[in-house]
Amino acid sequence: MPVDPASLKLQIHPAACLREKAAVVESVDDEVRAVAARMIEVMNSADGIGLAAPQVGLGWRMFVCHVPPPDDAAGPEDPPTACAGPEVFINPEILKYEGPPEPYEEGCLSLPGILGEVRRPPIVTVRAIDGQGNTFERRAGGLLGRCWQHEIDHLDGVMIIDKMSQISRLKNRSALRQMERRGR
Ligand code: NI
């Protein structure tokens, strides 16, 4: 059954779709492009920098991201830490991690009000397919590299609440419980 992009809405923890392993996208067609466009819309209206398909209830291996450079950025960095506009990653795979894991406070659109410290390698190289069906490889650091890793985790049903430090876990315990009660 074809997906109606307009029906795709942001899913909040503990929605079951957030915990399932997403399936490979077999071909990049108009339906996939329409879904990507809708995901960009949902991401923008929630003021997010990234959104994975399971977060709109779709078990597909794809995510969108838009990590704008900070206003005071000196210029493009190598590897890049931001992107010029919204981007689509289909069937993304991490080819390489660089550097020892670093802590950083992350949020997630599916976990409103939760912020937690997550350790990740600072630089990654990712291979994915774009909206035109072309395979590409890119390397990123900073917030962009972190965003890619966070979104790829979503495709395997992994969320920041699984990875955050013990202190963050404690800090968010009651907010998380409340969210879980509401979702039931
Ligand atoms: Ni997230």
Side-chain angles (χ1 to χ4, degrees):
M1 204 174 66
V3 173
D4 171 15
S7 72
L8 301 175
K9 302 257 151 55
L10 185 61
Q11 303 292 307
I12 305 295
H13 175 74
C17 55
L18 295 169
R19 292 313 204 167
E20 286 156 13
K21 194 175 163 70
V24 165
V25 176
E26 296 297 343
S27 69
V28 180
D29 53 18
D30 286 345
E31 186 186 24
V32 170
R33 282 186 282 274
V35 164
R38 172 65 185 154
M39 285 172 59
I40 290 169
E41 229 172 68
V42 172
M43 172 178 73
N44 289 340
S45 62
D47 276 328
I49 59 169
L51 184 76
Q55 293 184 274
V56 291
L58 209 52
W60 294 4
R61 298 193 80 80
M62 62 185 277
F63 72 84
V64 296
C65 72
H66 184 194
V67 179
D71 293 333
D72 58 356
E77 292 184 78
D78 183 30
T81 55
C83 48
E87 296 183 333
V88 182
F89 289 67
I90 299 163
N91 299 338
E93 280 175 276
I94 295 178
L95 300 180
K96 190 179 172 191
Y97 295 96
E98 292 170 67
E102 292 172 359
Y104 187 83
E105 193 146 82
E106 294 185 21
C108 178
L109 293 180
S110 296
L111 293 162
I114 306 276
L115 281 175
E117 202 176 82
V118 179
R119 300 176 71 84
R120 300 188 192 272
I123 299 173
V124 282
T125 302
V126 168
R127 178 167 56 208
I129 305 171
D130 67 17
Q132 271 55 254
N134 301 310
T135 299
F136 63 92
E137 264 183 44
R138 278 176 53 197
R139 187 166 166 259
L143 196 52
L144 185 59
R146 185 167 282 273
C147 175
W148 292 355
Q149 294 178 68
H150 174 123
E151 301 312 331
I152 290 170
D153 273 350
H154 274 301
L155 307 182
D156 294 316
V158 173
M159 299 180 78
I160 56 171
I161 46 176
D162 309 327
K163 293 194 158 181
M164 61 174 60
S165 67
Q166 208 57 44
I167 288 171
S168 297
R169 230 174 272 257
L170 282 172
K171 220 166 37 188
N172 288 294
R173 197 167 54 180
S174 69
L176 203 57
R177 275 200 194 139
Q178 234 174 49
M179 201 180 297
E180 285 166 357
R181 267 198 301 271
R182 270 198 302 267
R184 224 173 275 139

